[in-house]
Amino acid sequence: MPSTWIYLVRHGRVVGAELRRFIGHLDVPLAEAGETQLQGLALRLSATPLAAVYTSDLIRARRSAEIVAAPHGLTPRVTPSLREMAMGRWEGLTAEEIKAAEPEAFKEWMSRVGEFPFPEGESVPDLLARSWPVVESILRAHVGERVAVVAHGGTNRVLLCRALGLSLERLVAMGQDYASLSILEWTGSRWTLHLLNDTAIESGRDGRG
C-alpha cells in the first residue's frame, strides 16, 4: 500500500496571544504576525503535491488553512471535529485568573491533564474521541496522497499522541508552536513521525526525502 502523508499544521499567532489566555472555542482571529507566519509556511509547502486541506471551523484555523491551500488551488474542507478543546468556564481567562478563582480545580487539572475535564468543557479523551475519526476518514479517502490538516495546539497534540502510541498524559511534552509543522506518514500498518513542531519557513523542507 502506498504511504499517506499528513502535514499537521497549527494555526498562526492570534490577536491577544501575549495575554496567554485559555482560548478554546473562542473565535479569535489571526494577528498580522500570524498571517505572515502562514504565508511563509504556504511558500514552504507550495511544491508539495497536496491533495486536500482539512481545517477546524474556528476562524484562526480556517484563515490559516486558506493561506496554505491557496498555492494549490484548493478550498479547505471545514471540519468542526478538529476544533480546539472546549475549555468551558475557563475560556478567556489566564492561568493566574483561574488559579485565583478556582485553585483546587486548577491544581487537579494540572496534575491530571490527560483525563481531568475543563469545568463545563471537555477532557483530553473527549477531544481525541471527536478528532481522531477525522484522521481515519482521511486515510480512507486519500490513500497514497499528501494532505494538510490545520488545527490547534491541543488537537494536534492528541492526534500525535494517538498516532505514536503515547499516553495522553504525554501531550504536554509535544511542542506545538504557532504556525508549526509536524509530518506523519501512514504506511498502511504503522505511523512514522518525520517532523515535529518545526517552524522553519525555508521551501523544500517538507520531509519528503
Side-chain angles (χ1 to χ4, degrees), residues 52-86:
V53 177
Y54 289 77
T55 180
S56 156
D57 62 333
L58 295 175
I59 192 169
R60 58 191 183 273
R62 286 204 329 266
R63 177 57 186 151
S64 297
E66 289 170 356
I67 297 171
V68 169
H72 307 274
L74 296 171
T75 299
R77 304 185 188 189
V78 178
T79 310
S81 294
L82 292 172
R83 275 189 176 205
E84 180 59 281
M85 195 181 329

Side-chain angles (χ1 to χ4, degrees), residues 18-159:
E18 66 279 0
L19 301 176
R20 301 183 63 82
R21 297 187 182 278
F22 284 48
I23 298 175
H25 283 190
L26 297 179
D27 219 2
V28 179
L30 287 185
E32 183 177 348
E35 294 265 345
T36 300
Q37 288 174 321
L38 264 297
Q39 293 289 350
L41 181 57
L43 178 61
R44 175 180 177 179
L45 294 177
S46 61
T48 300
L50 295 178
V53 177
Y54 289 77
T55 180
S56 156
D57 62 333
L58 295 175
I59 192 169
R60 58 191 183 273
R62 286 204 329 266
R63 177 57 186 151
S64 297
E66 289 170 356
I67 297 171
V68 169
H72 307 274
L74 296 171
T75 299
R77 304 185 188 189
V78 178
T79 310
S81 294
L82 292 172
R83 275 189 176 205
E84 180 59 281
M85 195 181 329
M87 297 177 181
R89 64 173 180 260
W90 290 358
E91 289 189 353
L93 302 178
T94 65
E96 290 70 24
E97 289 169 336
I98 297 166
K99 282 188 285 188
E102 302 183 63
E104 292 304 314
F106 186 80
K107 182 179 179 180
E108 186 169 7
W109 177 77
M110 287 292 291
S111 65
R112 298 172 52 211
V113 71
E115 55 187 81
F116 186 74
F118 283 97
E120 301 174 17
E122 291 180 302
S123 67
V124 173
D126 292 334
L127 175 57
L128 178 63
R130 66 167 163 83
S131 60
W132 185 253
V134 179
V135 174
E136 293 178 328
S137 68
I138 288 172
L139 295 180
R140 290 192 297 269
H142 298 283
V143 175
E145 296 181 325
R146 298 174 186 269
V147 175
V149 174
V150 183
H152 306 267
T155 310
N156 290 1
R157 287 181 172 98
V158 299
L159 297 179

